[in-house]
Amino acid sequence: MASTASTEHRTDPAWLPAAAFRPLGARRVRVAGDGPLVGTVRAEVAAAVAGHGGALVADGPVDLDLVAADGDGEAFTVERTGGTTIVRAEGGPGLLYGLHHVVRRGEAAFDGDLPAERHAPRRAIRMLDHWDNIDVDPLMGQVERGYAGGSIFYADGGVRADLGRVAAYARLLGSIGVNRVALNNVNVHRTEARLLTDLLPDVARLAEVFRPHGVAVHLSVGFAAPITLGGLPTADPLDPAVREWWERTTAAVYAAIPDFGGYVVKADSEGQPGPFAYGRDHADGANALARALEPHGGTVFWRAFVYDHRQDWRDRGTDRARAAHDHFAPLDGAFDDNVVLQVKYGPMDFQVREPVSPVFAAMPGTRLAAEFQVTQEYTGQQKHVCHLVPQWSEVLGFGLRGGEPVADLVDGVVAVSNVGDDEFWTGHPLAQANLFGFGRLAWDDRLDPAAVLDEWIGLTFEDPSVRGPLHEVLDGSWHTYERYTAPLGVGFMVNPGHHYGPSVDGYEYTQWGTYHFADRDGVGVDRTRATGTGFTGQYPAPWREVYESVGSCPDELLLFFHHVPYDHVLRSGKTVVQHIYDAHFAGVEEVGRMREAWATLEGRVPAALFDRVTALLAEQARCATEWRDQVNTYFLRKSGVPDERGRRIF
Ligand code: GCU
């Protein structure tokens, strides 16, 4: 990565380089409307026309007419007639989204005629959670599960004095329709807890930077804040003094930030405090905070990631996959209207392959959000190319209840951010495509991931000839990652703690509930009703039957739901053990092809970016080889079954 040192303080323009504004900037443009977001659009257009020879005009004939109604409407209509492209927005945010729609379309936005076409987000909540800390942990760094350097918000023990880079980030988010951001880690430590109180003026500064881009700020708060910050003897959600503390504290937040979005809460999870300590349930806990936020229009994002993280590995009756449904499904209907239950997409923990969480189908009387991880904790930590947009698209499109896709069962789409203070924002420059794609899918889950990637490529790179090789590198990279890591949905097999690279038994005898149960005869977790943990019973028809039977369970999830012998024949016709060998050899070969495709781009993409990706691909190849050899060797030694193709396994 020789080139990165010299460019440390530069900021990559990501998908908004000046060149992306050329088609618009070379034309005559009018911007009509009032309000801060219209002001943002006007400033964008002014910069574009100044750079590309067009004009921002108040009247007369124009090529592009951007017109906003008053208010907060997010939708816009675009049409082209008589040589003018007209965007009519239903409010300030809609005008910003309409502008970026035009930018994404490039020259095509000014070509021919287009009948009026209305664009509206499919859901109101499109949110990124930052797991940033103010303090730097010697082991974890500053951003929990962050792989792109330190925090863009915090430095030197507080909110940064210079928020210029945050402004550039807010602009990127506004351009893809992300409208909410949580500013701190869900594991709320001592210093960060104070963002709610004495550090509030700094949060207000951040809110000011996000506001012109239509993004509301949120804070992660600790459930025990009435004790730790308020000095009360209890945080019991039904205690009047506790309620009064939340009301008072929340009112002070809104006095400083009138458009504050709300709170994110991780309670009774992995050591975080919660309502269980007081014999209360999660609805009691969430509603106490909801009632403090309600008069101000705020929302509580209450996380469903609750499980026993002190499990005895000898205990075969406890199944972490069951936990969210066991805890929350009985509470359906008990949450206030301004509570959104934030549910990880799978029942475990952001693995490369998991079934869709059954919680999405189980709580029709509760507002839900699907939570994804743009940060690549378990998918290569932004050292590996792993384009996750197809995964999210598959989850959101999955017909879980009566054929209804997950997307129609949720009010929101939330993800853990992958951004840090790295020059390229996301550490791996190609991981920007995940951030971009998250915003686009959150806006409309029905978009085709390949088309979204095409938009990102078109905006980010000037030379159109890079499209083919970039698709080769990115399109199949999720499946490639899946092939060389833990097989057939069984998950984990990562090094404990930091979670990078293989360790097949790394979590096998731990308290975390993440086991594969491999022995000399077979592998996988029996989650059936018949003989296992009964997790399949949490699904509605047809999935409860599909997953229950080895015969109908999809191959890619077989070991998530079943413990099978190594010679079990998959639907693909291969035995389980031969599949493991073949997939791991194939995965590493695919990384080799990704490297070849990338190498053809030398001189066609910026040199610093080329060098960074080249170096990271070398690391990906090394790590994938390590995965292949450890996993294959492990299963050869356990099973004694040789590879039928006689390849080298150690
Ligand atoms: C994962 C991750 C943790 C995080 C947790 C969460 O388990 O490893 O760092 O705190 O998810 O989602 O709360």
Side-chain angles (χ1 to χ4, degrees):
M1 288 193 245
S3 59
T4 59
S6 58
T7 52
E8 218 166 52
H9 301 292
R10 283 189 25 214
T11 288
D12 186 66
W15 57 84
L16 295 181
F21 290 80
R22 189 176 299 130
L24 177 159
R27 291 182 155 85
R28 288 174 64 83
V29 186
R30 185 176 80 110
V31 179
D34 292 309
L37 272 78
V38 176
T40 302
V41 169
R42 202 169 272 125
E44 287 285 7
V45 171
V49 297
H52 299 290
L56 175 57
V57 297
D59 43 37
V62 291
D63 306 297
L64 175 61
D65 203 8
L66 298 164
V67 187
D70 290 342
D72 295 331
E74 295 192 311
F76 62 90
T77 300
V78 56
E79 73 174 297
R80 186 164 167 81
T81 168
T84 303
T85 302
I86 308 159
V87 174
R88 284 192 195 85
E90 296 172 19
L95 197 70
L96 182 65
Y97 304 147
L99 168 80
H100 285 286
H101 173 87
V102 170
V103 173
R104 279 192 295 275
R105 300 220 52 214
E107 278 300 332
F110 302 98
D111 197 25
D113 276 357
L114 178 74
E117 204 181 71
R118 185 171 182 269
H119 295 259
R122 288 254 292 156
R123 59 198 49 73
I125 295 168
R126 306 179 301 275
M127 178 164 180
L128 282 167
D129 285 0
H130 278 258
W131 286 357
D132 295 27
N133 299 310
I134 295 175
D135 293 335
V136 181
D137 181 276
L139 284 176
M140 285 260 195
Q142 191 176 24
V143 180
E144 181 159 324
R145 311 305 181 187
Y147 311 103
S151 170
I152 55 167
F153 303 138
Y154 312 112
D156 307 319
V159 172
R160 287 173 183 276
D162 177 358
L163 295 181
R165 204 146 186 278
V166 178
Y169 176 58
R171 175 173 179 251
L172 288 170
L173 295 191
S175 78
I176 52 173
V178 168
N179 60 358
R180 293 170 180 260
V181 148
L183 297 172
N184 63 305
N185 189 2
V186 285
N187 296 309
V188 185
H189 307 297
R190 201 200 299 251
T191 306
E192 295 75 18
R194 292 170 36 220
L195 290 166
L196 186 61
T197 51
D198 57 303
L199 297 179
L200 194 58
D202 283 324
V203 179
R205 283 175 52 230
L206 285 166
E208 259 165 49
V209 173
F210 278 107
R211 187 170 296 124
H213 302 278
V215 183
V217 301
H218 302 62
L219 289 175
S220 293
V221 298
F223 192 76
I227 303 174
T228 54
L229 296 170
L232 296 183
T234 177
D236 181 349
L238 301 192
D239 185 298
V242 169
R243 294 202 167 223
E244 200 267 326
W245 186 86
W246 279 113
E247 279 160 22
R248 197 163 19 93
T249 304
T250 304
V253 173
Y254 278 90
I257 310 166
D259 54 356
F260 182 71
Y263 299 139
V264 179
V265 189
K266 173 177 179 177
D268 288 317
S269 170
E270 299 185 330
Q272 292 296 304
F276 287 164
Y278 308 98
R280 312 296 184 196
D281 65 29
H282 281 268
D284 296 327
N287 292 344
L289 275 65
R291 281 169 206 174
L293 286 159
E294 197 276 332
H296 312 282
T299 303
V300 182
F301 291 85
W302 192 268
R303 299 181 78 232
F305 183 59
V306 176
Y307 69 100
D308 178 3
H309 73 292
R310 298 228 168 84
Q311 186 180 334
D312 185 341
W313 59 268
R314 298 167 193 82
D315 164 17
R316 297 292 292 262
T318 302
D319 178 6
R320 174 167 164 181
R322 295 187 53 120
H325 189 284
D326 282 347
H327 283 297
F328 287 94
L331 298 177
D332 186 36
F335 292 95
D336 284 3
D337 286 349
N338 62 330
V339 176
V340 171
L341 190 66
Q342 191 166 309
V343 183
K344 288 195 182 185
Y345 65 83
M348 293 297 279
D349 200 359
F350 299 136
Q351 300 301 292
V352 66
R353 175 70 68 177
E354 289 187 45
V356 166
S357 171
V359 175
F360 294 122
M363 304 192 65
T366 306
R367 293 177 72 202
L368 301 174
E371 183 183 288
F372 297 100
Q373 223 186 16
V374 189
T375 194
Q376 293 172 236
E377 175 178 2
Y378 289 103
T379 51
Q381 304 200 347
Q382 281 134 256
K383 294 190 173 80
H384 297 215
V385 177
C386 185
H387 188 54
L388 288 165
V389 181
Q391 183 198 42
W392 307 328
S393 163
E394 198 171 292
V395 170
L396 291 168
F398 185 77
L400 183 60
R401 192 179 65 201
E404 259 183 298
V406 170
D408 289 353
L409 303 175
V410 299
D411 280 359
V413 181
V414 180
V416 186
S417 167
N418 62 346
V419 161
D421 68 0
D422 185 272
E423 172 196 355
F424 290 104
W425 299 99
T426 51
H428 200 307
L430 301 185
Q432 287 176 10
N434 279 332
L435 184 62
F436 178 87
F438 168 75
R440 299 290 291 130
L441 276 196
W443 174 274
D444 186 351
D445 49 273
R446 296 165 306 189
L447 294 174
D448 169 19
V452 170
L453 181 56
D454 227 40
E455 287 178 352
W456 177 77
I457 295 171
L459 290 168
T460 306
F461 299 99
E462 278 216 59
D463 177 348
S465 77
V466 303
R467 267 178 212 273
L470 278 168
H471 276 287
E472 267 180 71
V473 171
L474 284 152
D475 279 341
S477 56
W478 168 42
H479 286 129
T480 294
Y481 189 85
E482 180 177 17
R483 283 187 191 105
Y484 63 73
T485 56
L488 298 167
V490 77
F492 294 90
M493 299 190 170
V494 290
N495 281 300
H498 59 69
H499 297 168
Y500 185 70
S503 175
V504 179
D505 280 338
Y507 273 114
E508 200 57 15
Y509 305 102
T510 68
Q511 62 186 16
W512 297 98
T514 52
Y515 316 120
H516 56 67
F517 300 119
D519 59 24
R520 65 176 187 177
D521 300 318
V523 56
V525 190
D526 184 352
R527 293 192 160 107
T528 63
R529 304 191 285 293
T531 53
T533 69
F535 170 65
T536 57
Q538 293 184 342
Y539 284 89
W543 303 109
R544 49 193 289 121
E545 304 309 336
V546 169
Y547 295 144
E548 175 76 7
S549 153
V550 186
S552 53
C553 183
D555 283 350
E556 69 271 15
L557 290 171
L558 186 70
L559 302 183
F560 191 95
F561 286 106
H562 298 276
H563 185 89
V564 296
Y566 292 118
D567 62 0
H568 171 83
V569 179
L570 295 168
R571 293 150 70 86
S572 71
K574 289 184 185 184
T575 63
V576 165
V577 72
Q578 191 58 43
H579 168 92
I580 293 176
Y581 300 150
D582 288 353
H584 285 77
F585 282 112
V588 173
E589 282 160 22
E590 286 161 21
V591 175
R593 287 198 288 278
M594 283 158 72
R595 292 178 81 182
E596 284 165 21
W598 179 257
T600 67
L601 294 178
E602 184 159 20
R604 290 195 270 164
V605 298
L609 186 145
F610 180 82
D611 292 348
R612 174 76 73 97
V613 174
T614 302
L616 288 168
L617 279 168
E619 165 54 19
Q620 181 167 5
R622 183 206 64 75
C623 189
T625 304
E626 197 59 29
W627 269 101
R628 177 195 70 192
D629 291 342
Q630 287 202 29
V631 171
N632 283 349
T633 300
Y634 181 93
F635 284 103
L636 175 65
R637 289 180 187 175
K638 280 268 168 179
S639 71
V641 180
D643 171 31
E644 63 188 25
R645 291 175 56 190
R647 288 163 294 196
R648 182 136 196 247
I649 300 177
F650 298 85

